[in-house]
Amino acid sequence: MSENYIQEIIETRRAIHRRPELGWTEFETMWNVCNHLERWGIPYLTGTKVINPDFVMGRDETEVKDAIARAIKHGVPESFIEKTEGYTGAVAIIDTGRPGPVTAFRCDMDALPVRESDDSSHEPTRLGFASERPGIMHACGHDGHTAVGLAVAHWLSDHKEGLCGKFKVLFQPAEEGVRGARPMSESGIVDDVDWLVGSHVGGALHSGEICVQDGGFLASTKFDIHFTGLEAHAGNAPHKGHSALVAAACATMMIQGIPRHGDGDSRVAVGKLVAGEGRNIVAAHAMMQMEVRGETQEVNDFMAENVEYIIEGVEKAYQVTAKIKRVGESSTLVVCPEIFDKLEKAMSEVKGVKILPRFHAPTGSEDCSWLIRKVASHGGQAGFFLYGCEHKGHHRPDFDIQDETNLPVAFNTFISFAKLINGKQ
Ligand SMILES: [Zn+2]
């Protein structure tokens, strides 16, 4: 029986892989999810019921408008777009009608600005489901996460007679740049949740390996910085100009040189810098996208504050103005020890998997930390697990997850956890 759900996962994952969408623009992906939910008679919530606009960061109104137009062109009904209120994100609700715990499963939906490999050794290319949108790609496996979440919702709905309590499956937008989980966590949607589980494919784990993450999420702050100077003729009046390009370049070098904090690991990256108008014009505009991370909130805040000091200094030194905007934020992982044993018990029911020791090396950031924090804040238990695949690195053109082999591991773990927590007494 579970083979039907697995087949569904593969089909959904490949359909989503073909139509990748960046954070806050996942309208086609969301329709794919909600259209299925409607067909199966599963109620769901959208719009400001699941996203609190006061906490939305890094959402570009023009990009959203373009995405809506594109989605409608690709067959998404306008009536559905209205339901979204312009915000991507949906929560499926499966209520057994019997008293019991509220259990939430969270998956993310967004893709990355990466151009997918056209090499025939890359499975999506070989099998014909590579990205149809050049320059955008599911290069982190969130297509797989969404497909698993949808099949889990389907299974729960089909099997609710044998379960108690209530389930919420969260389809979160904009995980990349750590933007989507905070507004979801502040929408009230997890306020009644007793148990919440998130997961990610890949990382350091190989196919068939699975483990609980019990620490190691880095707190992070993402900045967009716009520099404005003054144009001038580079030959006859360079002294009359103020170069935003030189200011931004100098800021880049200084930012990379922020002293490291003694209390924990930190990261800093200027990932994008665009500047200038032309060869012989003193550059009046520059735009930088950068981020800092820290092993603790304090370390991250120290890094972020130093970025702000540097920008202030550069403004003065180069007589430019700089607008600095926080476009994403994530926190460290709050640890709820009670859930770890339950998760490992659920994993042990899944055939053919190898449970690795709990993972807590400080590596990436994951905004599920906000949802976990929210659930923990009212006494609930929330956790995160990782499951493996064979890959050459996340966010690369050749990233892949071997969906047939690896996604069933996540599906079966969620189902097994649901039975463990919400099994009918
Ligand atoms: Zn990811």
Side-chain angles (χ1 to χ4, degrees):
M1 273 309 281
S2 90
E3 264 149 43
N4 294 342
Y5 299 100
I6 303 298
Q7 194 49 40
E8 223 167 78
I9 292 173
I10 309 306
E11 279 166 24
T12 311
R13 185 260 163 165
R14 293 182 183 186
I16 293 174
H17 192 86
R18 222 178 259 137
R19 304 286 312 159
E21 296 168 298
L22 299 176
W24 295 122
T25 71
E26 309 94 326
F27 292 98
E28 287 183 51
T29 308
M30 214 185 136
W31 170 241
N32 188 327
V33 169
C34 296
N35 191 21
H36 279 96
L37 295 174
E38 279 178 25
R39 237 187 286 157
W40 301 327
I42 301 173
Y44 62 89
L45 301 172
T46 54
T48 50
K49 290 192 191 76
V50 301
I51 297 290
N52 182 339
D54 294 346
F55 291 85
V56 167
M57 280 182 169
R59 176 177 171 275
D60 183 303
E61 204 60 60
T62 314
E63 275 177 28
V64 171
K65 276 198 185 120
D66 291 351
I68 288 176
R70 190 171 54 239
I72 290 172
K73 223 166 132 192
H74 274 88
V76 179
E78 282 182 55
S79 57
F80 177 75
I81 298 288
E82 268 166 41
K83 270 201 227 175
T84 68
E85 302 173 67
Y87 295 104
T88 45
V91 175
I93 314 271
I94 298 104
D95 193 346
T96 68
R98 279 174 287 278
V102 179
T103 300
F105 299 129
R106 172 270 197 182
C107 50
D108 43 12
M109 304 191 287
D110 56 329
L112 284 153
V114 172
R115 182 173 290 268
E116 184 151 26
S117 167
D118 56 8
D119 196 291
S120 62
S121 64
H122 181 57
E123 192 171 285
T125 301
R126 190 174 67 248
L127 301 181
F129 65 92
S131 169
E132 291 172 358
R133 301 190 60 213
I136 301 183
M137 176 195 171
H138 272 288
C140 199
H142 300 187
D143 48 348
H145 301 168
T146 302
V148 167
L150 183 61
V152 167
H154 193 191
W155 186 95
L156 291 170
S157 172
D158 287 350
H159 295 80
K160 65 179 174 190
E161 283 318 312
L163 300 162
C164 69
K166 194 171 172 179
F167 297 93
K168 294 182 172 184
V169 184
L170 278 54
F171 297 93
Q172 184 210 301
E175 194 286 322
E176 300 295 350
V178 289
R179 297 167 287 167
R182 186 89 199 271
M184 204 163 222
S185 74
E186 297 293 341
S187 71
I189 197 71
V190 296
D191 287 3
D192 63 346
V193 168
D194 302 303
W195 300 87
L196 179 135
V197 182
S199 71
H200 208 300
V201 67
L205 277 66
H206 295 283
S207 288
E209 294 175 344
I210 189 162
C211 75
V212 161
Q213 176 135 7
D214 66 349
F217 284 170
L218 300 173
S220 181
T221 305
K222 321 290 185 189
F223 291 108
D224 278 358
I225 307 166
H226 290 266
F227 299 82
T228 308
L230 186 65
E231 291 97 339
H233 192 292
N236 65 27
H239 57 290
K240 290 188 176 161
H242 304 301
S243 176
L245 181 152
V246 177
C250 176
T252 301
M253 299 308 288
M254 290 169 80
I255 285 169
Q256 296 284 159
I258 295 172
R260 300 309 187 253
H261 202 292
D263 289 348
D265 273 9
S266 61
R267 305 279 191 280
V268 57
V270 176
K272 185 171 178 178
L273 185 57
V274 184
E277 281 74 31
R279 188 189 313 281
N280 55 5
I281 306 161
V282 173
H285 299 98
M287 193 278 286
M288 178 191 289
Q289 293 184 342
M290 58 84 49
E291 59 163 38
V292 292
R293 304 185 196 226
E295 191 175 343
T296 66
Q297 195 60 50
E298 292 66 36
V299 170
N300 182 65
D301 291 348
F302 169 84
M303 300 297 288
E305 268 164 35
N306 271 279
V307 171
E308 286 167 342
Y309 296 146
I310 287 168
I311 299 303
E312 270 172 42
V314 160
E315 273 186 299
K316 194 147 196 203
Y318 291 91
Q319 298 170 68
V320 299
T321 54
K323 272 206 180 101
I324 180 161
K325 201 171 162 193
R326 288 182 182 228
V327 293
E329 237 160 5
S330 73
S331 66
T332 51
L333 182 70
V334 172
V335 173
C336 306
E338 218 186 291
I339 201 171
F340 299 153
D341 291 340
K342 300 266 193 237
L343 272 171
E344 282 166 353
K345 173 105 184 28
M347 289 167 183
S348 70
E349 305 287 326
V350 180
K351 276 191 204 100
V353 302
K354 185 174 167 205
I355 304 173
L356 298 189
R358 294 173 187 174
F359 183 83
H360 46 248
T363 50
S365 299
E366 165 60 78
D367 71 357
C368 192
S369 57
W370 290 118
L371 292 157
I372 292 172
R373 213 165 257 267
K374 196 71 175 177
V375 170
S377 75
H378 62 246
Q381 290 283 318
F384 201 83
F385 72 89
L386 305 166
Y387 56 103
C389 66
E390 304 305 321
H391 66 89
K392 298 183 189 109
H394 287 253
H395 299 195
R396 282 172 50 131
D398 53 3
F399 179 80
D400 192 33
I401 56 174
Q402 307 88 41
D403 49 18
E404 290 169 338
T405 321
N406 299 312
L407 296 182
V409 171
F411 172 79
N412 287 319
T413 302
F414 281 121
I415 296 306
S416 168
F417 187 82
K419 288 189 208 161
L420 184 68
I421 302 295
N422 297 67
K424 209 155 82 179
Q425 307 302 320

